[in-house]
Amino acid sequence: MTPHKYPTARTVLAATAATALIMVLTSCISTNTPAPPSTQPTPDVQYTTIWSAADGINLNTRPAELIRATVESGEMSAWAGVDHSFPGFADAIANATDYNGDWGDTTQPPKPDNLKTRDWRLFARHITNLNATDNHVTARVCNLHLPLLDEDFVVTPKAELDSFRSVTRPITFDVTLTKPTDTTSGTSSQPDTKPDTRNPSALDTPNWNVFSPWTISSITVLETVNNYYGDEPECMAWWRQKFPGWDGTSLTFGPPTPITTDTGFFEALMITRPGPPNYPEWLGPKGADA
């Protein structure tokens, strides 16, 4: 009968040491290995945003870019979620003292139902009263939604009435951003000098943190300040420039003259697809302190 071969003390010690070494290495690997990056893709933006500005305001300057990025990423956060809006937006908005509740809150998850209906996805935005220093930017932003429709869309009085009451009514924001004194102004976009031309390299959203080192102090909806939706004089001037003959306040919003049919006001607002491109488009970073 073959005798059993028991391990020697040396063999046992060697095996024990090897096991301990493996455990230590495994512990180090599990502790120091970073978590895999999020696979959540940045969602496609399914609407068009067209900016304009009062005389003397250049939309391609760094201060105006910060205002544009704040409003666009705020709009996007309503349906994509704050963490899946513009890069850096979640951090930039985290400590805001006032925030537009229509865009959710600073920790809102994605809510695709917050997207405007397909026929109301052309957003017109207008910057007024832009003031900027080394560490402070503030501006007033006038807003409206326009119908972007197929050419063969049939306008009905009901469509005109519903859209007029719920979607077209203007709204105004006051936006403020700040940054630490003596820090750089951050990385800006290349200027978009062709409002009517789509640039094939343009991005729906920046692929860099357009905010840093700036943070958003507040986004104030003026409805909560004066119980109106956009009657500030500078916004009324913009409306009347876009629609000559329009008169009244946002709460007595009526069509420009001469419109003689029930659907004429809706038809004056509507734009047929494909419509204009975004302006300014996000064309990639130009560099720090640009």
Side-chain angles (χ1 to χ4, degrees), residues 51-54 56-72 86 125-133 136-141 175 177 185 188-189 210-211 214 279-280 282 290:
W51 287 90
S52 60
I57 298 175
N58 183 342
L59 289 171
N60 288 298
T61 61
R62 181 66 170 147
E65 176 186 67
L66 290 165
I67 298 297
R68 292 190 285 110
T70 298
V71 174
E72 288 189 34
F86 283 24
R125 309 197 189 279
H126 184 74
I127 297 177
T128 71
N129 297 354
L130 178 65
N131 295 291
T133 66
H136 187 267
V137 173
T138 185
R140 177 159 292 173
V141 181
V175 178
L177 299 97
S185 63
S188 62
S189 177
V210 73
F211 296 100
W214 296 82
Y279 178 76
W282 298 103

Side-chain angles (χ1 to χ4, degrees), residues 102-211:
D102 291 339
W103 290 339
D105 58 50
T106 56
T107 59
Q108 178 181 292
K111 291 185 179 179
D113 289 345
N114 285 344
L115 262 176
K116 295 292 184 292
T117 60
R118 180 171 179 266
D119 293 337
W120 289 95
R121 292 188 181 172
L122 197 153
F123 302 161
R125 309 197 189 279
H126 184 74
I127 297 177
T128 71
N129 297 354
L130 178 65
N131 295 291
T133 66
D134 175 65
N135 61 349
H136 187 267
V137 173
T138 185
R140 177 159 292 173
V141 181
C142 316
N143 302 270
L144 71 145
H145 294 162
L146 296 175
L148 183 62
L149 302 166
D150 295 328
E151 191 171 357
D152 58 356
F153 179 83
V154 178
V155 180
T156 66
K158 184 179 185 305
E160 187 274 337
L161 184 63
D162 290 348
S163 63
F164 156 67
R165 288 181 174 172
S166 64
V167 183
T168 310
R169 178 179 287 170
I171 190 168
T172 304
F173 304 133
D174 279 352
V175 178
T176 303
L177 299 97
T178 58
K179 75 171 180 66
T181 304
D182 298 328
T183 57
T184 68
S185 63
T187 303
S188 62
S189 177
Q190 299 176 50
D192 182 1
T193 59
K194 299 179 179 179
D196 299 321
T197 303
R198 285 181 172 84
N199 189 314
S201 63
L203 304 169
D204 285 338
T205 65
N207 59 6
W208 72 98
N209 185 345
V210 73
F211 296 100

Side-chain angles (χ1 to χ4, degrees), residues 120 144 146-147 168 239 243 253 264-271:
W120 289 95
L144 71 145
L146 296 175
T168 310
W239 270 91
F243 302 106
F253 190 66
F265 178 57
F266 189 93
E267 290 164 346
L269 292 174
M270 64 182 287
I271 297 172

